[in-house]
Amino acid sequence: MIEVTMTVRASPECVFAVLADGWTYAGWVVGASHIRDVDTGWPEPGALIHHSVGPWPLLINDVTKVHVVDSPRLLELDARAWPFGTARIRLELTENEPGSTEVRMFEEATRGPGRLLPKAAQAALLIPRNRESLRRLADLAVGRKAQPA
């Protein structure tokens, strides 16, 4: 699996709150452009985010499914974007100190053409994309933390 790590100046609960809001998915996942629907119960195992990926008007409609959840420490997803394939994405949240979370994001192509790429080629594509996704996730978590209750 390709791994990217970032420290976020927010608690694991605050970071997980962004992950648990499926409607924010297009706000932090690079490539996701529109959320069409979020299943009731997200992020419980089996729940889906119905999303579109790519630039308008060349959108591909597909879904991301929760595989494993352990709030606020872990979210594992199966993300689809056919005809490109499916990927397993694992987000692990660990509190470094109060108000600071290390987020580790792992991604691996599990089906489709992406599996045929050598690991080095997958890393060259995924590391910059996933770093930017974690930057966006961090901004949303820090912004959420800054909002008055």
Side-chain angles (χ1 to χ4, degrees), residues 5-75:
T5 303
M6 176 172 283
T7 299
V8 179
R9 289 180 308 224
S11 69
E13 292 80 10
C14 196
V15 176
F16 197 86
V18 177
L19 300 175
D21 181 352
W23 291 101
T24 68
Y25 190 78
W28 67 269
V29 176
V30 172
S33 54
H34 177 72
I35 304 305
R36 300 184 327 276
D37 195 16
V38 177
D39 285 1
T40 301
W42 177 271
E44 293 302 317
L48 301 172
I49 292 176
H50 306 262
H51 56 74
S52 303
V53 297
W56 184 88
L58 306 173
L59 298 174
I60 297 170
N61 292 335
D62 223 320
V63 297
T64 291
K65 180 179 181 178
V66 177
H67 184 69
V68 176
V69 65
D70 181 15
S71 176
R73 297 181 260 318
L74 172 71
L75 183 62

Side-chain angles (χ1 to χ4, degrees), residues 78-100:
D78 290 319
R80 292 177 37 108
W82 282 100
F84 302 108
T86 301
R88 175 70 46 94
I89 299 159
R90 183 177 178 93
L91 294 140
E92 297 177 355
L93 285 60
T94 306
E95 187 170 53
N96 292 336
E97 56 188 56
S100 179

Side-chain angles (χ1 to χ4, degrees), residues 21 34 65 68 82 97-98 102 105 107-108 127 134 147:
D21 181 352
H34 177 72
K65 180 179 181 178
V68 176
W82 282 100
E97 56 188 56
E102 178 183 79
M105 182 179 188
E107 184 168 352
E108 176 179 42
I127 288 174
L134 289 186
Q147 298 299 314

